[in-house]
Amino acid sequence: MTEIFAKAEVDRRTLLRRAAAVGLMATPAVGMLSACVGGGDDDKTQQQSTGTKSAENPLGIDPKAGVEIIIFNGGLGTAYSTDVDTPLFNKKWPDAKVTFSQTEQISTVVQPRINAGTPPDMINNSGSNLMDFGAIVKAGQAADLTDLFAAPSWDVSGKTVADTLVPGAVEQGSYDGKPFAMNYSFTVFGLWYNKKLFDSKGWTVPTTWADFTALCDKIHAAGITPFGFAGANASYYMVRALLTSAAKIGTEQALKDIDNLKPGAWTADPIKKAAAAWGEIGNKYINKTFLGLKHTEVQLQQNQDKLAFYPCGSWLENEQAKDTPPTFEYAVAAYPSVTTSDQLPATAINAAAGEIYFAAAKGKNPQGGKEYIRAMLSKEAALGFTKLTKSLTVVSGAADGQTISPGLTSANDLLGKAGKDVFMGYLFDTWYKKLDDESRAAANDLMFKGGDADKFCQRMEAASQAVAKDSSVTKFTRS
């Protein structure tokens, strides 16, 4: 057994974003595409490197052409790229120099280069400053990855790249039926807690809302804040918690209606019930000072056993690696059932592929960018990623037989218990920035300023319909 022990030294994870959804279809654009994404005039197009396709070179790259990549430096760090992916790529293509750079400000650094027609060949579009990927696709700036997914796997004989991925991985980055993104990191979302603390106190993870509030009372009596999140920069964690509960009440259709800007989606019964339940948690069990704190500050309080439950994704364990004491062992629980008539079971969870990687259509070497992604989708690279980041990937079975960290083990257990009841969640946060911004502000008001569920729903409904009526916003639909 190989023990996964490496801890990537990272500053923070500002945001895990997902690309497009399974079955994503772009509707005809209404109005002009966002002016921030240039279409790439012919006189701006770089001369592109090409090679001869063969069994050993299925994407037809020029084996001597350099490949420029840029990676977002967040909670996952960049060591997986410099220490795993690039050496693996260069072992096969020793004359293809990889030029690496990293940034915490993807849009600020990359968008001007896209507009100028001189983008890097492969881009990790992530973080709170990520680019509008839907606009990039519509502007023809992202390369079609059909040939990548149809190519032979890097290290699994007899299978294509697509064959080696978890179900839905290709479709998740598809627009109008064509794949333009590779969503690499597979994240499990839920309520994170210290298993050692819970074991020592004899606290049982709740499955019903009544059990949840009863446990919160016990936790509060023990002098610990029962539940919390950072209002300053991580209120979207709370948005996800609330909408996960709504999906369990009324199935994922409630979230699809929100994504599709359907009138009445935000005031529908599942959203109202979820908002009311979580508003009660905010009124009774949250520390109001968390409104002004950043996520790392709140996460540190949890590591110090000042906070019991924290809503987050499975990147949390790695992000807090340097601050996690020996007395703390990460574990994750599914969000409890809100009602006795929830349409999804208590074990149902939200889990999805995230972290957008794409090849730039107007780069000097887009095929080289795709080949770099093919290397990333090898089992060897995927296992290296998991070792360094404590995060799973979309490469099926890449971590099988490995001893993995406590938090990731717990997340795997949660996936097993959920079975078929794993749903992707919502997509409006990557489609419509104004709606995403409003949801964060509304979640903060709900949880820190009174818990008025009706006010939350009405506010979000108004914001949704304002986006729906805005002809300058490119619309997408989800089936």
Side-chain angles (χ1 to χ4, degrees):
M1 301 286 267
T2 302
E3 182 177 3
I4 293 178
F5 61 91
K7 296 182 178 180
E9 292 298 320
V10 295
D11 295 325
R12 59 183 289 263
R13 177 166 188 82
T14 53
L15 180 63
L16 178 75
R17 294 279 195 158
R18 302 172 323 284
V22 174
L24 179 66
M25 295 293 289
T27 62
V30 182
M32 296 292 289
L33 186 65
S34 173
C36 71
V37 180
D41 297 333
D42 288 342
D43 61 350
K44 291 182 179 180
T45 301
Q46 305 177 89
Q47 183 175 352
Q48 296 183 331
S49 301
T50 58
T52 303
K53 290 185 178 181
S54 67
E56 288 299 311
N57 186 8
L59 296 178
I61 74 164
D62 179 345
K64 295 185 178 181
V67 180
E68 183 186 0
I69 66 169
I70 185 164
I71 303 295
F72 169 67
N73 185 11
L76 299 175
T78 61
Y80 67 90
S81 180
T82 57
D83 299 357
V84 178
D85 300 338
T86 295
L88 183 66
F89 180 89
N90 280 142
K91 184 177 180 180
K92 183 177 180 64
W93 306 109
D95 296 325
K97 180 183 177 181
V98 175
T99 301
F100 166 88
S101 62
Q102 60 82 24
T103 181
E104 294 180 10
Q105 301 293 322
I106 285 292
S107 181
T108 301
V109 173
V110 179
Q111 195 71 71
R113 293 188 58 184
I114 287 180
N115 294 345
T118 58
D121 300 306
M122 198 284 287
I123 300 158
N124 171 205
N125 184 36
S126 187
S128 58
N129 185 239
L130 87 173
M131 299 177 290
D132 182 341
F133 191 68
I136 287 173
V137 171
K138 296 298 278 187
Q141 294 287 359
D144 184 342
L145 302 183
T146 299
D147 56 346
L148 162 65
F149 291 120
S153 164
W154 188 276
D155 59 1
V156 181
S157 178
K159 290 190 176 183
T160 66
V161 171
D163 290 337
T164 66
L165 308 183
V166 297
V170 175
E171 291 81 3
Q172 196 170 339
S174 296
Y175 286 70
D176 289 330
K178 289 184 179 181
F180 291 96
M182 186 271 289
N183 300 282
Y184 193 55
S185 177
F186 194 68
T187 300
V188 175
F189 298 94
L191 277 173
W192 291 82
Y193 63 97
N194 179 5
K195 185 178 184 300
K196 289 185 177 180
L197 172 66
F198 274 53
D199 288 348
S200 70
K201 298 289 187 181
W203 294 338
T204 302
V205 173
T207 58
T208 69
W209 209 258
D211 289 342
F212 185 33
T213 55
L215 179 56
C216 284
D217 286 332
K218 291 180 181 179
I219 293 169
H220 180 72
I224 300 171
T225 299
F227 175 85
F229 66 97
N233 71 339
S235 50
Y236 63 94
Y237 292 1
M238 189 62 234
V239 176
R240 182 176 295 278
L242 191 157
L243 292 183
T244 297
S245 293
K248 294 176 80 163
I249 294 169
T251 77
E252 196 175 11
Q253 187 60 49
L255 309 189
K256 292 179 179 180
D257 289 344
I258 285 175
D259 287 342
N260 292 334
L261 305 176
K262 181 180 178 180
W266 283 97
T267 55
D269 195 54
I271 312 299
K272 283 184 177 180
K273 287 180 177 177
W278 280 110
E280 178 189 10
I281 298 298
N283 275 333
K284 294 183 178 180
Y285 304 114
I286 206 167
N287 185 333
K288 303 298 193 216
T289 66
F290 287 3
L291 175 60
L293 298 185
K294 293 183 178 180
H295 69 296
T296 48
E297 295 172 315
V298 175
Q299 289 163 195
L300 182 59
Q301 290 206 29
Q302 186 182 37
N303 292 147
Q304 296 169 345
D305 285 335
K306 297 176 182 178
L307 170 67
F309 285 117
Y310 184 71
C312 198
S314 49
W315 65 78
L316 176 64
E317 182 181 35
N318 184 63
E319 186 171 61
Q320 291 301 109
K322 69 182 188 303
D323 293 316
T324 304
T327 55
F328 196 102
E329 182 178 307
Y330 274 107
V332 61
Y335 291 108
S337 299
V338 174
T339 75
T340 57
S341 57
D342 282 11
Q343 294 191 53
L344 295 180
T347 52
I349 61 169
N350 173 209
E355 294 295 314
I356 302 170
Y357 296 78
F358 72 98
K362 305 297 174 67
K364 284 185 177 180
N365 190 4
Q367 292 304 104
K370 294 180 190 180
E371 181 73 350
Y372 193 92
I373 296 175
R374 189 167 78 99
M376 291 179 67
L377 292 171
S378 67
K379 280 204 168 186
E380 181 178 347
L383 177 58
F385 178 90
T386 297
K387 287 181 177 180
L388 287 171
T389 67
K390 296 186 178 68
S391 296
L392 298 171
T393 72
V394 294
V395 181
S396 182
D400 286 355
Q402 306 298 314
T403 299
I404 54 180
S405 62
L408 197 54
T409 298
S410 180
N412 276 331
D413 290 344
L414 212 60
L415 280 168
K417 292 175 183 176
K420 63 181 179 59
D421 296 307
V422 177
F423 55 94
M424 283 182 51
Y426 54 87
L427 298 155
F428 72 87
D429 61 332
T430 57
W431 290 354
Y432 309 118
K433 189 176 187 303
K434 286 184 178 179
L435 194 57
D436 179 39
D437 290 344
E438 189 70 5
S439 72
R440 298 177 186 217
N444 272 349
D445 283 357
L446 175 71
M447 298 301 291
F448 291 106
K449 299 180 179 180
D452 190 327
D454 185 64
K455 183 178 179 180
F456 171 86
C457 292
Q458 293 294 338
R459 176 179 180 175
M460 290 309 303
E461 179 67 16
S464 173
Q465 292 312 296
V467 172
K469 295 172 183 176
D470 187 345
S471 62
S472 69
V473 177
T474 301
K475 307 301 193 303
F476 298 100
T477 58
R478 178 182 176 193
S479 61

